[in-house]
Amino acid sequence: QQQVKQSPQSLIVQKGGISIINCAYENTAFDYFPWYQQFPGKGPALLIAIRPDVSEKKEGRFTISFNKSAKQFSLHIMDSQPGDSATYFCAASFYGQNFVFGPGTRLSVLP
Amino acid sequence: EAGVAQSPRYKIIEKRQSVAFWCNPISGHATLYWYQQILGQGPKLLIQFQNNGVVDDSQLPKDRFSAERLKGVDSTLKIQPAKLEDSAVYLCASRAGLAGNTGELFFGEGSRLTVL
């Protein structure tokens, strides 16, 4: 019940295309859903986050779509750039504790 | 603002040896986490501290792993004796808020352990 599932495992997108990564959770107690971006040799860094009281949040080229009834959320990267090539992790937490991470999606944006 | 500092960045040891990793969180951050990230996987929580008390250590292999956060500031994670399957990156993260107050996790660059 603590698990967060993530797909696809890897994704290849052409420059300028849309990258979409999906996550699903079981525990309805989760109340905070962040996405983290990790470059090789670096620690994960927060990209964007959403709470379950809204269905969408947009920050620049990055958008989270949240479907509370389906217990799913997704990250959309518009106008994908080679600099976006990284591993992306969705995560979930409740009550400010116990951040649970998905297995990650390795994104490659071709020039 | 200085980030989360970790050392050493890399460590290679033989199995059954011991190793210790150090973390200095962002100044003023009450909550500190140690995560284990095996190659190709997401970070897995090992232990969470709030100030100098343990909030969650349910996934810490206590027969070989130990961690402490004396004085509620920096923290040390120890593995003794190490096994081959402990090869991973050990990530330290900190967060300003206390339990019940969500907020951003700030990660260090990690300590990469290779057990031969």
Side-chain angles (χ1 to χ4, degrees), chain A residues 36 38 42 51 95-97, chain B residues 37 55 95 100 102 105 109:
Chain A
Y36 280 80
Q38 186 176 31
K42 302 293 185 181
R51 297 185 186 277
Y95 205 57
Q97 300 189 82
Chain B
Q37 186 175 25
V55 174
R95 185 171 64 86
T102 57
L105 288 186
E109 293 194 325

Side-chain angles (χ1 to χ4, degrees), chain A residues 1 3-4 6-8 11 17-18 30 36 39 41-42 49 52-53 55 57-58 60-61 68 71 79 87 93 98 104:
Chain A
Q1 206 179 24
Q3 191 178 14
V4 175
Q6 183 174 347
S7 63
L11 182 60
I18 302 173
F30 286 138
Y36 280 80
F39 293 104
K42 302 293 185 181
D53 53 345
S55 60
K57 183 174 181 180
K58 183 176 181 179
R61 296 184 295 110
K68 188 174 181 178
K71 293 186 285 186
D79 187 26
T87 300
S93 77
N98 199 359

Side-chain angles (χ1 to χ4, degrees), chain A residues 9 31-32 36 38 41-46 51 89 93-104 106, chain B residues 9 33 35 37 40-43 45 48 55-56 59 91 95 98-105 107-109:
Chain A
Q9 187 175 8
D31 63 0
Y32 179 68
Y36 280 80
Q38 186 176 31
K42 302 293 185 181
L46 180 66
R51 297 185 186 277
F89 296 97
S93 77
F94 61 90
Y95 205 57
Q97 300 189 82
N98 199 359
F99 285 74
V100 180
F101 286 80
R106 179 173 291 185
Chain B
R9 287 295 314 278
Y33 310 76
Y35 282 87
Q37 186 175 25
Q41 298 182 19
L45 180 68
Q48 176 184 343
V55 174
D56 183 357
Q59 298 187 84
L91 294 164
R95 185 171 64 86
L98 301 177
N101 179 10
T102 57
E104 179 177 354
L105 288 186
F107 282 89
E109 293 194 325

Side-chain angles (χ1 to χ4, degrees), chain B residues 46-89:
Chain B
L46 292 175
I47 189 167
Q48 176 184 343
F49 292 95
Q50 183 170 299
N51 296 313
N52 61 350
V54 175
V55 174
D56 183 357
D57 64 356
S58 57
Q59 298 187 84
L60 186 73
K62 298 180 185 63
D63 58 332
R64 299 184 299 105
F65 286 65
S66 64
E68 59 182 10
R69 190 184 184 196
L70 300 177
K71 301 180 181 178
V73 182
D74 56 353
S75 176
T76 302
L77 175 71
K78 296 180 181 178
I79 307 174
Q80 180 179 11
K83 292 185 175 181
L84 296 177
E85 58 261 37
D86 298 332
S87 294
V89 175

